């Protein structure tokens, strides 16, 4: 309103038709009008001023009241436990509380006057998780703005620090937008844990091999695991647990099988108590007979109210079959134990008997009298040899298996029996020692035979030693007269004293000399073998030239080889080779091997000798001397006999050959006395190869 309009008095309202017409005042009234008018004007002005003051006071009061309500409203908004913001019709921020700004970690994003698109851009750059905006950042921005301008369902945004913010938006009547933000991080975390827990529980529920289900009060399935679905007949067409939900046992298994289960369900609901395992015959999904053990228990809510029945079924078919097999095996073992000549025993961890089978009655009329005792505590022991029993107890303490531990017991009637026991330690799956299990048998007859055999063996060995000692002592008595015979034969052959007259006497003397030489060789072999067996033959190894010894032995047998029509060859590659051996023994070895090769090689054959240095697996340096022939060979089944004293391999050819059969036996024994060994390889019709290994000492090169 203008100032002029305020100075004029308000016009009087127009009178209706019933109001009298206004009359002009007379002359007297005109004289009184100026004073009266001024008074009325002053009064009107005063009244107007009063009204104005009252109006201004009321306006101040109203303004004060509005400002207080606004402050109260803003304070109330600021105290809200959620983020709050209001945008005007132009989508610019009008007001927001502190918690709304806290969602941006106090980054100055939410400032009044900013548009929501500006706020969203800054949030995308600073607080919103970039993974959430993939793969197209701008597409996500457009999607979010569309949901903001046309709010409907809540929107959740994940921040870079892992928080989850839920935004609920709504339009105001003036066209603005109200936005409420809530931190739902803990809620989503709990929900995630609950989902994972449910998934884990379901996985465990489905992976349990037992048939598990839960029924409601109407005996309809609320929960079924996969094992139970797999147990159902294929004809029902139920392939997943969800397809069985809501059905009854009678519907799935028929009134026979299902009816039995429902009777037990009603018992659980009636009594509120569990039904322990009940076994019944059933049929599996393949139609095969099965044995099922069923356990039922009540299901209650958090207030203890009965809300259903839990059923757990186990397929115990294999277990019952195994138990039946075990019973049959126990019966079988019991029969064996009762009828066997052996008996069985067990001990505990303290080595005291806990079981002795009836078979022990043959040596103890009351085997149970030993229960609780250790074997070495038996009052029947007749054999208390300290060393033997100490070793036996040490085996027990070390938990070692033992076999055929033999001892003797004496019965109440005075009879003595020998017992052989064997045992092995027993451990549980955790490795804890449980005791011993084993068997025993009566071996009195065997012990007697063994003792007789030992006595006979000792007698035979004593006789053999006496024979060897006798032959060894006969060396002088046999050789002296034989040498005299050979000496006289040589005198007769050379006619030293005078002519014999008859020429045949000279031939007889030659035959006597040859036979005596052969007999001397045989006697020498026998006596040497006897000395070796009597351990009276001594060797004195020295370092000597192997080449020289080989040449010497070859010259000794060269004439014999030529007479037999054989080719004798020395194939030694290294003539400076030396070895450590007894000279006489080495010559005897080589002569025996060469003589045998010549003796058993037909006319036109070949006999050779060679030597080389080798190393054994132990690293010791050895010389290997090999004598090879192209003779008749030796059958494989006869090879083990070679090298035994007085053994000859019979054949059509060698029956014509004389000898003691001691050549190889002497050679083997002499080689072994040097720390070496002898090997023989042969093929019938191809020949024989004999190797001897002796310690080697190679000569130093000049």
């Amino acid at each position: 309103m203008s100032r002029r309009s305020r100075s004029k008095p308000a016009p009087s309202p127009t009178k209706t038709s019933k109001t009298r017409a206004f009359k002009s005042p007379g002359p007297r009234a005109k004289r009184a009008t100026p004073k009266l008018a001024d008074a009325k004007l002053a009064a009107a002005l005063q009244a107007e001023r009063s009204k104005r003051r009252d109006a201004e006071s009321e306006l101040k009061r109203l303004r004060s009241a509005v400002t207080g309500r606004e402050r109260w409203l803003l304070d109330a908004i600021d105290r809200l436990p959620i983020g709050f913001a209001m945008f005007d019709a132009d989508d610019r921020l009008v007001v927001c509380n502190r918690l709304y700004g806290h969602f941006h970690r106090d980054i100055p994003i939410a400032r009044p006057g900013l548009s929501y698109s500006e706020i969203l851009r800054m949030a995308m750059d600073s607080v919103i998780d970039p993974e959430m905006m993939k793969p197209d950042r701008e597409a996500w921005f457009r999607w979010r703005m569309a949901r903001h301008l046309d709010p409907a369902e809540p929107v959740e945004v994940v921040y870079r620090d892992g928080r989850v913010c839920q935004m609920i938006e709504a339009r105001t009547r003036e066209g603005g937008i109200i936005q409420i933000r809530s931190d739902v991080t803990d809620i989503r975390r709990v929900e995630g844990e609950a989902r994972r827990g449910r998934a884990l529980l379901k996985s465990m529920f489905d992976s349990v091999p037992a048939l598990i289900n839960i029924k409601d009060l109407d005996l309809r399935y609320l929960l079924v695991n996969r094992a139970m679905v797999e147990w159902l007949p294929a004809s029902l067409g139920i392939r997943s647990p969800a397809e069985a939900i809501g059905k009854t046992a009678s519907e799935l298994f028929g009134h026979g099988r299902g009816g039995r289960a429902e009777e037990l369900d009603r018992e659980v609901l009636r009594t509120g108590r569990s039904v322990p395992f009940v076994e019944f015959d059933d049929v599996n999904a393949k139609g095969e007979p099965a044995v099922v053990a069923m356990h039922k228990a009540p299901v209650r809510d958090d207030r203890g109210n009965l809300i259903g029945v839990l059923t757990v079924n186990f397929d115990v078919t294999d277990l019952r079959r195994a138990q039946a097999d075990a019973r049959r095996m126990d019966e079988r073992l019991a029969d064996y134990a009762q009828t066997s000549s052996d008996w069985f025993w067990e001990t505990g961890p303290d080595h005291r008997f806990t079981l002795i089978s009836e078979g022990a009655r043959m040596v103890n009329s009351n085997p149970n009298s030993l229960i609780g005792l250790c074997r070495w505590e038996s009052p029947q022991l007749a054999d208390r040899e300290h060393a033997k029993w100490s070793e036996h107890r040490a085996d027990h303490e070390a938990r070692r298996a033992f076999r055929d531990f033999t001892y003797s017991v004496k019965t109440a009637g005075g009879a003595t029996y020998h017992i052989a026991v064997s045992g092995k330690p027993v451990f549980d799956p955790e490795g804890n020692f449980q005791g011993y299990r084993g068997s025993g048998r009566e071996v009195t007859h065997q012990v007697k035979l063994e003792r007789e055999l030992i006595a006979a063996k000792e007698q035979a060995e004593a006789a053999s030693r006496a024979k060897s000692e006798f032959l060894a002592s006969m060396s002088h008595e046999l050789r002296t007269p034989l040498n005299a015979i050979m000496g006289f034969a040589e005198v007769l052959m050379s006619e030293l004293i005078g002519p014999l007259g008859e020429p045949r006497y000279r031939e007889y003397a030659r035959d006597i000399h040859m036979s005596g030489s052969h007999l001397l060789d045989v006697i020498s072999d026998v006596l040497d073998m006897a000395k070796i067996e009597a351990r009276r033959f001594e060797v004195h190894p020295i370092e000597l030239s192997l080449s020289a010894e080989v040449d010497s032995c070859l010259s000794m047998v060269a004439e014999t080889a030529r007479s037999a029509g054989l080719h004798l060859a020395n194939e030694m590659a290294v003539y400076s080779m030396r070895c450590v051996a007894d000279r006489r023994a080495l010559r005897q070895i080589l002569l025996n091997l060469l003589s045998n090769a010549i003796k058993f090689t037909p006319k036109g054959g070949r006999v050779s000798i060679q030597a080389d240095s080798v190393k054994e697996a132990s690293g010791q340096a050895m010389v290997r001397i090999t004598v090879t022939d192209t003779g008749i060979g030796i059958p494989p089944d006869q090879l083990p006999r070679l090298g035994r004293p007085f053994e000859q391999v019979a054949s059509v050819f060698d029956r014509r050959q004389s000898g003691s059969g001691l050549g190889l036996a002497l050679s083997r024994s002499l080689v072994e006395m040097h720390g070496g060994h002898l090997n023989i390889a042969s093929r019938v019709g191809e020949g024989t190869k004999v190797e001897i290994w002796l310690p080697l000492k190679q000569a130093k090169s000049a």
Side-chain angles (χ1 to χ4, degrees):
M1 296 177 64
S2 65
R3 183 182 297 272
R4 184 176 179 181
S5 63
R6 286 198 301 269
S7 62
K8 292 181 179 181
S12 300
T14 304
K15 299 290 186 180
T16 64
S17 60
K18 294 183 179 181
T19 305
R20 291 181 301 175
F22 180 75
K23 295 182 179 181
S24 302
R28 185 176 292 179
K30 288 182 179 180
R31 288 194 296 271
T33 298
K35 292 182 180 181
L36 181 60
D38 291 340
K40 289 181 178 180
L41 180 59
L45 290 174
Q46 185 63 31
E48 183 69 23
R49 291 190 186 97
S50 177
K51 290 179 181 180
R52 186 175 181 179
R53 284 194 298 271
D54 292 342
E56 289 177 352
S57 296
E58 182 65 17
L59 181 60
K60 288 180 180 180
R61 186 183 66 78
L62 290 174
R63 285 177 177 172
S64 177
V66 170
T67 303
R69 287 190 181 93
E70 183 180 347
R71 285 198 300 270
W72 175 84
L73 180 60
L74 292 176
D75 184 64
I77 292 173
D78 211 34
R79 293 177 182 272
L80 288 174
I82 56 176
F84 176 85
M86 179 182 289
F87 295 85
D88 60 17
D90 296 329
D91 202 24
R92 293 188 177 277
L93 181 63
V94 176
V95 65
C96 67
N97 63 356
R98 284 177 295 180
L99 193 56
Y100 186 87
H102 178 69
F103 274 96
H104 303 100
R105 287 287 185 243
D106 299 326
I107 298 173
I109 293 177
R111 297 194 301 272
L114 292 176
S115 67
Y116 183 71
S117 63
E118 294 174 324
I119 294 175
L120 181 59
R121 287 284 187 188
M122 289 187 285
M124 290 169 62
D125 293 337
S126 58
V127 293
I128 296 178
D129 187 357
E131 293 294 324
M132 188 174 186
M133 298 179 283
K134 289 181 178 180
D136 190 338
R137 177 186 173 97
E138 286 302 315
W140 187 87
F141 172 78
R142 291 191 296 271
W143 170 84
R144 178 66 193 97
M145 286 302 301
R147 294 293 298 271
H148 169 72
L149 296 174
D150 186 17
E153 298 295 328
V155 175
E156 291 189 1
V157 177
V158 180
Y159 290 161
R160 298 183 182 185
D161 57 4
R163 291 177 301 150
V164 181
C165 171
Q166 185 186 72
M167 290 179 284
I168 301 175
E169 298 170 313
R171 283 284 185 180
T172 65
R173 285 179 294 181
E174 291 78 14
I177 296 176
I178 293 176
Q179 186 181 92
I180 296 175
R181 294 189 177 189
S182 303
D183 188 345
V184 295
T185 307
D186 292 339
I187 296 175
R188 296 298 175 261
R189 178 179 55 78
V190 172
E191 290 176 348
E193 292 176 353
R195 283 193 302 272
R196 289 190 293 272
R198 287 194 296 271
L200 178 61
L201 182 61
K202 185 177 184 304
S203 175
M204 293 173 59
F205 190 68
D206 283 339
S207 62
V208 172
L211 286 63
I212 305 176
N213 65 77
I214 297 177
K215 299 174 186 173
D216 60 17
L217 297 178
D218 296 327
L219 303 185
R220 294 191 176 275
Y221 291 110
L222 292 173
L223 190 64
V224 174
N225 73 340
R226 183 161 295 280
M228 181 173 173
V229 173
E230 294 173 352
W231 186 266
L232 296 174
S235 58
L236 293 176
I238 296 178
R239 296 179 176 83
S240 68
E243 297 177 21
I245 303 303
K247 299 183 182 298
T248 65
S250 296
E251 293 173 349
L252 293 182
F253 297 101
H255 293 287
R257 297 165 61 189
R260 291 195 302 269
E262 290 176 350
E263 289 177 5
L264 296 175
D265 292 334
R266 294 188 186 94
E267 182 180 345
V268 172
L269 294 177
R270 184 178 64 256
T271 62
R273 293 192 298 269
S274 299
V275 175
F277 283 103
V278 177
E279 291 189 7
F280 60 91
D281 294 331
D282 201 355
V283 178
N284 60 22
K286 298 179 181 179
E288 301 169 340
V291 181
V292 175
M294 176 186 293
H295 175 80
K296 290 185 177 292
V299 179
R300 302 180 185 275
D301 61 15
D302 55 353
R303 296 182 180 180
N305 298 320
L306 191 62
I307 61 173
V309 180
L310 168 68
T311 304
V312 181
N313 299 299
F314 291 96
D315 180 6
V316 295
T317 307
D318 293 338
L319 176 61
R320 295 297 174 261
R321 186 180 296 118
Q323 289 175 341
D325 292 342
R327 284 194 298 270
R328 287 192 292 271
M329 181 59 71
D330 290 342
E331 294 171 357
R332 188 179 301 132
L333 291 176
D335 292 340
Y336 291 155
Q338 291 177 0
T339 59
S340 174
S341 60
D342 293 0
W343 62 88
F344 307 103
W345 55 267
E346 286 185 357
T347 64
D350 56 357
H351 310 307
R352 299 186 180 277
F353 286 113
T354 59
L355 170 69
I356 301 178
S357 68
E358 288 296 312
R361 287 189 180 275
M362 64 179 64
V363 295
N364 187 331
S365 60
N366 184 15
N368 290 331
S369 64
L370 298 177
I371 300 298
L373 298 178
C374 297
R375 181 174 291 107
W376 45 85
E377 295 174 347
S378 171
Q380 292 182 295
L381 286 182
D383 178 4
R384 298 186 180 273
E385 185 181 340
H386 179 73
K388 179 172 72 175
W389 284 101
S390 296
E391 183 179 353
H392 186 58
R393 295 184 65 172
D395 287 339
H396 278 67
E397 296 303 325
R399 299 168 183 173
R400 292 189 293 261
F402 57 90
R403 186 171 186 82
D404 290 335
F405 174 73
T406 304
Y407 63 100
S408 58
V409 296
K410 182 174 290 187
T411 64
T416 300
Y417 292 96
H418 294 278
I419 297 172
V421 293
S422 301
K424 61 174 292 186
V426 179
F427 301 89
D428 64 15
E430 287 74 31
N432 300 313
F433 177 63
Q434 300 297 303
Y436 273 86
R437 288 181 192 153
S439 62
R441 55 194 175 95
E442 191 260 320
V443 293
T444 305
H445 182 64
Q446 290 92 319
V447 170
K448 181 180 178 181
L449 290 179
E450 288 176 2
R451 290 179 177 177
E452 292 176 353
L453 287 174
I454 291 173
K457 180 174 179 292
E458 291 176 349
Q459 291 177 0
E461 290 176 347
S464 177
R465 285 195 300 273
K467 177 263 298 179
S468 298
E469 291 174 358
F470 171 75
L471 289 176
S473 64
M474 290 294 293
S475 173
H476 177 72
E477 283 74 6
L478 292 174
R479 282 194 176 101
T480 299
L482 189 56
N483 286 330
I485 293 172
M486 293 176 62
F488 286 123
E490 288 179 359
V491 170
L492 294 174
M493 287 169 57
S494 59
E495 298 179 336
L496 290 176
I497 299 175
L500 295 177
E502 178 62 43
R504 284 181 296 179
Y505 290 154
R506 189 180 298 108
E507 295 177 3
Y508 294 158
R510 187 181 302 109
D511 293 340
I512 292 171
H513 186 271
M514 290 178 60
S515 298
S517 298
H518 176 68
L519 181 59
L520 182 60
D521 291 340
V522 172
I523 291 175
S524 296
D525 288 345
V526 172
L527 295 177
D528 287 344
M529 195 72 240
K531 284 184 178 180
I532 290 174
E533 288 185 347
R535 298 181 181 178
R536 293 172 59 180
F537 193 101
E538 296 182 0
V539 294
H540 302 283
I542 60 173
E543 183 181 347
L544 48 81
S545 171
L546 179 60
S547 304
E549 299 302 323
V550 169
D551 288 340
S552 175
C553 292
L554 286 174
S555 64
M556 293 181 187
V557 298
E559 181 60 31
T560 305
R562 280 195 298 271
S563 300
L566 304 178
H567 175 64
L568 188 64
N570 183 352
E571 297 180 351
M572 289 187 60
V574 181
Y575 284 91
S576 59
M577 187 176 294
R578 304 179 71 81
C579 67
V580 176
D582 182 279
R583 187 185 301 276
R584 175 178 173 275
L586 177 59
R587 287 188 177 184
Q588 190 169 358
I589 293 168
L590 296 177
L591 288 173
N592 283 339
L593 297 182
L594 290 170
S595 297
N596 276 348
I598 293 171
K599 185 188 301 182
F600 297 105
T601 302
K603 185 177 181 180
R606 187 174 188 274
V607 176
S608 63
I609 185 170
Q610 58 183 1
D612 57 350
S613 59
V614 292
K615 275 193 176 182
E616 289 191 322
S618 61
Q620 181 181 3
M622 305 286 285
V623 60
R624 179 175 59 188
I625 305 171
T626 306
V627 176
T628 307
D629 65 62
T630 59
I632 60 175
I634 304 168
D637 59 331
Q638 300 292 327
L639 283 175
R641 297 173 53 196
L642 292 179
R644 297 178 186 172
F646 308 104
E647 288 277 357
Q648 288 182 319
V649 178
S651 70
V652 175
F653 180 80
D654 66 61
R655 285 194 193 101
R656 303 191 302 267
Q657 309 299 326
S658 59
S660 63
L662 291 174
L664 281 177
L666 275 172
S667 299
R668 184 186 296 276
S669 298
L670 292 173
V671 169
E672 290 174 352
M673 291 177 70
H674 283 80
H677 53 86
L678 182 147
N679 301 325
I680 303 174
S682 181
R683 286 189 177 183
V684 175
E686 295 184 10
T688 302
K689 180 171 70 174
V690 182
E691 292 180 350
I692 58 172
W693 296 53
L694 296 172
L696 167 72
K697 186 169 184 181
Q698 188 74 32
K700 296 182 180 179
S701 58

